[in-house]
Amino acid sequence: MLHTPRGGAGHGTAAAEHRLMSIGAVLNVLRDEFPEVTISKIRFLESEGLIEPQRTPSGYRKFSPEDVERLAHVLRMQRDHYLPLKVIREQLDALERGEQVTLPSVGQQRDGGDAVAEDERTAARVGREALLAAVEADEGQLAEWETYGLIAALPDGSYDADAVTVAALVIELGRFGIEPRHLRAMKAAAERDAALVDQVVAPLRRHRNPQTRAHAEARTKELAGLAGRLHAALVHSALGVRAR
């Protein structure tokens, strides 16, 4: 709730309204940290009751700074902890009651924003049941994802953080009617991108110097991030062209 300053009700109302943002402005604020966020995503989270922006008389959404902060918190809980929306809602309710909450460490990043180390990623692996619970899916859905090569279990039967991320995104795309079979082209494109990255870093990986080999891993992560950003930008560009 927005509070009225002591300077008077009229002045307070004007100041409060000045702080409100349109959904487009919110998108611009969030995209630095969440480049994949879309207006549809924000609207979906609202429909799930995770945020409640104000509405103008004509029906336009208006977000307060507190709404934007809450939205960013929801997106971080999805990205860093792979929590289903039901659990996120429960966590937020607990925080509002002043309760202490403990978040799972799967896929979590360090305070400095660096990706987790390889040994930490290994520790973050989850079993089949934990994966299904994290994304609120069933065995039939997981079997379908595996059939289309979208997700694959590790030799010990567990799943890494990337598999949890893929599962969560496949679930979200499914809400828009996009089925796993529709994603085979994206999977093939990702494999081509991975092959290109491997081609670039292969000489570094074969080097006898341990420091050079370590540099290869850092270069791999950097190139993977750039490839992901390029793919997102190309999709947005293509959609923009078609909308004109």
Side-chain angles (χ1 to χ4, degrees), residues 1 3 19-20 41-42 51 57 61 68 89 104 112 121 152-153 156 161 166 177 196 211 225 236:
M1 180 180 295
H3 299 284
R19 297 169 68 230
L20 298 178
K41 170 77 170 182
I42 297 174
I51 51 173
R61 296 170 177 83
V68 178
R89 192 180 302 109
R121 289 177 60 83
D156 63 359
V166 170
L196 179 60
Q211 291 183 341
H236 285 299

Side-chain angles (χ1 to χ4, degrees), residues 145 150-151 165-175 178 180 183:
W145 301 338
L150 300 174
I151 289 178
T165 300
V166 170
L169 292 172
V170 171
I171 286 288
E172 285 200 39
L173 288 169
R175 302 183 197 278
I178 300 177
L183 303 176

Side-chain angles (χ1 to χ4, degrees), residues 118-229:
E118 190 63 31
D119 57 344
E120 291 173 322
R121 289 177 60 83
T122 301
R125 291 174 181 174
V126 298
R128 194 176 186 88
E129 291 184 2
L131 170 63
L132 293 174
V135 299
E136 296 182 328
D138 56 40
E139 284 283 353
Q141 289 173 293
L142 179 53
E144 185 178 19
W145 301 338
E146 291 177 327
T147 297
Y148 287 111
L150 300 174
I151 289 178
L154 298 169
D156 63 359
S158 65
Y159 297 85
D160 61 17
D162 290 331
V164 182
T165 300
V166 170
L169 292 172
V170 171
I171 286 288
E172 285 200 39
L173 288 169
R175 302 183 197 278
F176 296 90
I178 300 177
E179 301 177 11
R181 61 189 176 87
H182 299 142
L183 303 176
R184 287 179 293 185
M186 295 182 68
K187 169 67 174 176
E191 290 176 345
R192 289 193 295 269
D193 289 345
L196 179 60
V197 172
D198 280 337
Q199 181 180 349
V200 172
V201 300
L204 297 178
R205 285 178 176 158
R206 292 194 298 265
H207 205 279
R208 289 180 294 180
N209 189 323
Q211 291 183 341
T212 302
R213 292 198 299 270
H215 179 62
E217 296 306 314
R219 181 61 58 86
T220 298
K221 292 178 181 178
E222 181 182 4
L223 288 172
L226 290 171
R229 289 167 57 190

Side-chain angles (χ1 to χ4, degrees), residues 45-74:
L45 293 175
E46 179 190 0
S47 71
E48 292 293 311
L50 290 163
I51 51 173
E52 297 180 6
Q54 300 179 36
R55 293 274 187 163
T56 66
S58 55
Y60 291 102
R61 296 170 177 83
K62 289 296 181 179
F63 296 78
S64 69
E66 292 76 19
D67 291 328
V68 178
E69 182 179 354
R70 180 182 175 93
L71 181 55
H73 190 58
V74 170

Side-chain angles (χ1 to χ4, degrees), residues 30 33-34 68-83 88 103:
L30 294 174
E33 183 177 355
F34 308 100
V68 178
E69 182 179 354
R70 180 182 175 93
L71 181 55
H73 190 58
V74 170
L75 294 172
R76 288 189 196 100
M77 293 173 84
Q78 284 189 306
R79 180 195 64 194
D80 299 341
H81 304 283
Y82 310 102
L83 297 179
I88 292 177
L103 297 172

